[in-house]
Amino acid sequence: MTAKPPKSVRPEGWSAETLLVHGGTLRSQFGETSEAMFLTQSFVYDTAEQAEARFKDEDPGFIYSRFSNPTVAMFEERMRLLEGSEAARATATGMAAVTAALLCFLKAGDHIVAARAMFGSCLYVAQELCPRFGITCTLVDGRDTGAWQRAVRPNTKAFFFETPANPTLDLVDIAAVSRIAHAAGALVVVDNVFATPLLQKPLQHGADIVVYSATKHIDGQGRCLGGVVLCSEKFLKDNLHTFLRQTGPAMSPFNAWVMLKGLETLPLRVRAQCETAARIADRLAEQPDVRVLYCGRPDFPQAELARRQMTGFGTLVTFELKGGKAAAFRFLNALSLIRISNNLGDAKSLITHPATTTHQRLKPEARAELGISDGMLRLSVGLEASTDLAADIDRALAASRIG
Ligand SMILES: *Cc1c(COP(=O)(O)O)cnc(C)c1O
């Protein structure tokens, strides 16, 4: 085992905002205010005895930054406090977190059930990578709780889904699906990126493992890639720790430092972005040729579930232009403030056309099954003034109708 950083106790009554500024800080002997960036690959020992003790996990301290690093440990501890989990481990990217969370405990002969509506690379891991190693996968409509039950087999070991899902914002009932998984002896792995760690707490609804792409709202300013897995001490000890240590998808200390700074402002940013997203969703819904999907609107197909398991409705607004791909492209090309990009969770508002970018690999029938139409656009709302965004959208809507 590697050295464990001292765990800061969760001070009684501290809210998320406070934890995200102070939680997990490890000050060096210099007493720096801002967290230090430890750009070092390895660590030195005072004596041969100390090196031996550290490798035996009898001496706390660091060994090698593939295993752990003080800056990365601060980020992990701050995430752990925010999520309210027993353990947290950072990874190089969100996909490294997803891959590690699944492959660290699955083996040939196991079966997993995953929601069909998923981030493209997550779908690849579940549907293509796992089967290559003898782990079979059944894809279900995640919204249909009965479908999860029907997909269970004697060897089912994991349920895996994201909620809200990319790009249709389909929801999975975490509590109901977790009950089915646990009755079958399977673990529940939730990709919580769209909800952010602030708006939905999957562990409180019964999930076992939560993963994030820190690339998104946690950085929040479009700079670094990163990921994190949150789990129990037992899962860390039995599965995740050794897998990460030996396979090496470690987060760089530089990226961990950027993520720590990102966490300090996460509540302010997410709150502002959610408010603007709700305003834009309402405005788009007034248009006769636009169909809006936003988790917080009363006309959202799963509005009741959204209110039950989320405390805020997110920074993403998906909408469909009746004029199909041509109208969607005219809309995109007429924007001047909102930028065309497949990324999300950034301070800058970003918009993507899933059918021709993130989901272009799928056959048209598969896209139709997921509800991804040619007129669908996914908007990640940033920190700009909502009035400026509204003006940009109004111009683009007008342009989308001339064709
Ligand atoms: C971006 C994203 C990922 C992958 O994260 P990376 O940091 O790009 O590897 C996984 N799941 C969801 C829902 C995402 O949005």
Side-chain angles (χ1 to χ4, degrees):
M1 284 282 284
T2 186
K4 285 201 196 78
K7 255 187 193 161
S8 48
V9 285
R10 182 181 176 131
E12 242 4 89
W14 273 13
S15 61
E17 285 82 354
T18 312
L19 286 174
L20 287 172
V21 176
H22 295 282
T25 300
L26 299 170
R27 277 206 174 88
S28 79
Q29 71 274 31
F30 300 116
E32 65 280 356
T33 306
S34 175
E35 294 74 6
M37 199 195 298
F38 291 92
L39 283 180
T40 180
Q41 297 165 342
S42 63
F43 300 82
V44 296
Y45 313 102
D46 294 335
T47 61
E49 287 77 9
Q50 188 186 42
E52 182 184 28
R54 205 162 287 178
F55 272 81
K56 282 186 175 163
D57 201 26
E58 288 165 1
D59 177 67
F62 296 90
I63 295 173
Y64 189 57
S65 287
R66 168 150 50 78
F67 311 164
S68 65
N69 168 284
T71 313
V72 178
M74 286 191 259
F75 170 64
E76 291 170 335
E77 178 64 0
R78 198 166 285 179
M79 281 300 305
R80 189 189 73 78
L81 291 167
L82 173 62
E83 198 69 33
S85 62
E86 289 176 9
R89 278 291 185 272
T91 54
T93 64
M95 283 322 302
V98 167
T99 307
L102 292 171
L103 294 190
C104 77
F105 78 102
L106 294 169
K107 61 178 186 326
D110 289 346
H111 171 248
I112 65 173
V113 187
R116 197 173 285 123
M118 229 181 335
F119 187 75
S121 301
C122 295
L123 198 60
Y124 163 80
V125 171
Q127 194 184 17
E128 293 185 39
L129 187 65
C130 281
R132 271 176 36 202
F133 297 93
I135 303 156
T136 52
C137 172
T138 304
L139 295 179
V140 297
D141 178 344
R143 295 168 298 181
D144 178 0
T145 302
W148 292 92
Q149 179 68 65
R150 289 191 295 280
V152 168
R153 296 186 198 160
N155 57 340
T156 302
K157 292 289 154 49
F159 278 16
F160 174 49
F161 57 85
E162 61 190 54
T163 178
N166 179 44
T168 52
L169 310 181
D170 284 358
L171 304 185
V172 175
D173 185 333
I174 303 171
V177 165
S178 296
R179 277 194 295 274
I180 296 166
H182 294 156
L187 294 179
V188 177
V189 182
V190 179
D191 178 337
N192 206 38
V193 165
F194 273 44
T196 83
L198 294 167
L199 309 179
Q200 178 171 271
K201 301 282 187 197
L203 299 178
Q204 291 176 10
H205 296 287
D208 302 286
I209 297 144
V210 179
V211 293
Y212 290 101
S213 165
T215 312
K216 311 297 166 54
H217 305 83
I218 292 172
D219 174 320
Q221 294 171 66
R223 300 163 293 196
C224 291
L225 299 171
V228 58
V229 183
L230 300 125
C231 60
S232 66
E233 276 289 356
K234 180 171 162 45
F235 185 80
L236 178 72
K237 190 164 160 289
D238 293 351
N239 305 291
L240 186 65
H241 176 80
T242 305
F243 183 91
L244 290 178
R245 178 175 168 143
Q246 311 297 6
T247 63
M251 174 180 273
S252 93
F254 177 84
N255 288 9
W257 183 85
V258 172
M259 298 302 175
L260 275 165
K261 296 289 114 187
L263 284 176
E264 292 183 348
T265 58
L266 181 71
L268 290 172
R269 286 184 284 105
V270 168
R271 199 178 306 135
Q273 286 167 274
C274 287
E275 275 172 26
T276 307
R279 224 171 278 153
I280 287 174
D282 289 345
R283 195 184 172 89
L284 281 167
E286 287 168 9
Q287 309 296 323
D289 52 353
V290 181
R291 174 172 168 256
V292 175
L293 292 166
Y294 183 65
C295 301
R297 279 186 53 83
D299 59 4
F300 183 67
Q302 295 170 287
E304 187 273 326
L305 176 58
R307 278 194 300 276
R308 190 146 41 87
Q309 75 184 10
M310 301 176 77
T311 54
F313 302 110
T315 66
L316 286 127
V317 180
T318 296
F319 57 101
E320 254 175 340
L321 300 182
K322 295 235 166 78
K325 178 182 168 184
F329 272 35
R330 283 195 297 271
F331 182 96
L332 291 175
N333 292 332
L335 290 166
S336 60
L337 173 59
I338 300 169
R339 305 312 308 258
I340 303 169
S341 172
N342 47 286
N343 203 9
L344 62 98
D346 199 302
K348 295 176 172 62
S349 289
L350 303 174
I351 192 163
T352 189
H353 183 247
T356 54
T357 60
T358 54
H359 291 72
Q360 59 124 338
R361 225 163 53 91
L362 298 182
K363 295 202 175 72
E365 312 83 67
R367 275 199 297 275
E369 197 175 21
L370 289 174
I372 301 170
S373 67
D374 289 347
M376 182 173 275
L377 294 166
R378 187 201 72 192
L379 173 63
S380 169
V381 176
L383 287 171
E384 303 92 341
S386 66
T387 45
D388 292 333
L389 293 173
D392 203 31
I393 288 170
D394 285 350
R395 266 194 309 273
L397 276 173
S400 77
R401 290 164 183 148
I402 308 163

